[in-house]
Amino acid sequence: MNRENQPLLLKGRRGDKQFARKIDKACIIAGYFNDLLLFGGLLIGGYLPILAPTTSVDDVLEHYRKWERGIQICGTMWVFSGITYPFFASAVSKQLKRIPGINPTLVTAWNMASMAVTMLVLIPGLFMCQAAYRLDRSPAVTSMLHDIIIIYIVVPFTPLAVQGWLVALAVYQDYAGDRDPSPSRHLFPRWVGWFSLIAPILMIPACAAHFVYSGPLAWNGVLAFWIPAISFGIQVNVMSYASFSVIDKELDHEQESLED
């Protein structure tokens, strides 16, 4: 290759890389917007605090009539999370691929779990839109739609657990393969792995919400809803922060490949 053309080609590649990093950062920021859409929507829609499971069908209908416009807005916000979460998850997936020697199966599983999480947010959002669309129907119908919405929000924690434990396993694999703690040799710090391991464990009680009607394991209880919801919010923010921080980070093995 003509040496005179090499600097121009390298400059073009660097420019492309910088543009790609800007896109990655924008996608990571979508993770923060995702939490804003979900939790902000719940506040606007009157879902926080969640109605107790023992609430009568007539009281549920009255609640939906009172919060009709807010529930419609909440449903729309949750539907829009179908945009923010895939962008966020895709950007995290790209950073996971940078971990030296990472098993591609882990990245594939992360992507599949991300698709499941997206659907688990879209579906209750659509049910919110449906529940608030016709409030002249039987109270039993509105109450049933409300139950479906809450069950979808609270119970299915498993895709989130898959994501967290995959990140923990990826970080463990990174450090197990190279005992050198130098930041230039590892993408994510160890604490990201430990947090990703523990956060899903705190969500496990949510799977019992459909067994009881009162107490901490009920769908409005501290163990079934509040702790898992906070854990999910923090988990997304932790991965957003950690991934955003490493986008511009050049690892030693990446520098070596560029020099070759």
Side-chain angles (χ1 to χ4, degrees):
M1 180 183 295
N2 190 335
R3 291 183 177 274
E4 295 180 357
N5 295 330
Q6 287 184 1
L8 293 176
L9 291 174
L10 292 175
K11 183 178 180 181
R13 291 173 184 173
R14 284 196 294 268
D16 293 342
K17 194 170 185 178
Q18 288 300 322
F19 181 69
R21 286 176 174 177
K22 290 179 180 179
I23 294 178
D24 292 342
K25 290 179 179 180
C27 291
I28 291 296
I29 293 174
Y32 296 112
F33 281 104
N34 186 78
D35 273 359
L36 182 62
L37 287 172
L38 296 184
F39 291 99
L42 291 178
L43 284 171
I44 292 173
Y47 286 105
L48 291 180
I50 295 177
L51 293 176
T54 54
T55 304
S56 68
V57 295
D58 292 326
D59 288 341
V60 170
L61 177 59
E62 183 61 29
H63 180 82
Y64 271 69
R65 285 174 175 169
K66 177 182 178 181
W67 290 90
E68 177 182 2
R69 188 62 66 193
I71 292 171
Q72 291 170 338
I73 295 173
C74 178
T76 303
M77 293 174 70
W78 277 55
V79 168
F80 269 98
S81 71
I83 297 175
T84 55
Y85 198 83
F87 277 122
F88 156 76
S90 298
V92 174
S93 175
K94 180 178 179 180
Q95 299 310 311
L96 289 174
K97 291 178 182 177
R98 296 176 57 201
I99 295 177
I102 188 172
N103 191 321
T105 303
L106 298 183
V107 180
T108 301
W110 166 274
N111 294 335
M112 295 182 66
S114 300
M115 293 173 60
V117 173
T118 301
M119 294 307 301
L120 288 174
V121 174
L122 276 174
I123 292 175
L126 293 173
F127 274 113
M128 291 174 192
C129 297
Q130 176 64 38
Y133 187 64
R134 297 186 188 278
L135 293 176
D136 56 349
R137 58 168 65 97
S138 167
V141 174
T142 301
S143 180
M144 180 186 67
L145 289 172
H146 171 74
D147 289 353
I148 293 173
I149 291 168
I150 302 304
I151 290 295
Y152 262 107
I153 291 176
V154 176
V155 175
F157 77 98
T158 45
L160 298 169
V162 169
Q163 286 184 316
W165 290 333
L166 285 174
V167 171
L169 186 57
V171 174
Y172 169 78
Q173 178 182 337
D174 186 16
Y175 283 88
D178 187 351
R179 299 290 183 178
D180 188 343
S182 303
S184 61
R185 300 185 65 84
H186 304 284
L187 196 66
F188 296 111
R190 280 193 176 95
W191 69 265
V192 172
W194 282 111
F195 178 85
S196 299
L197 174 67
I198 295 172
I201 296 176
L202 301 177
M203 302 179 191
I204 292 177
C207 67
H210 60 295
F211 285 95
V212 298
Y213 296 91
S214 61
L217 288 177
W219 69 35
N220 63 333
V222 63
L223 293 180
F225 176 71
W226 290 105
I227 291 179
I230 293 171
S231 298
F232 165 69
I234 296 177
Q235 180 176 331
V236 173
N237 278 272
V238 163
M239 287 310 302
S240 297
Y241 169 78
S243 299
F244 193 90
S245 300
V246 302
I247 288 176
D248 292 324
K249 185 177 182 180
E250 293 285 355
L251 300 178
D252 287 350
H253 76 281
E254 293 174 329
Q255 291 284 5
E256 292 170 359
S257 63
L258 286 176
E259 291 173 0
D260 294 339

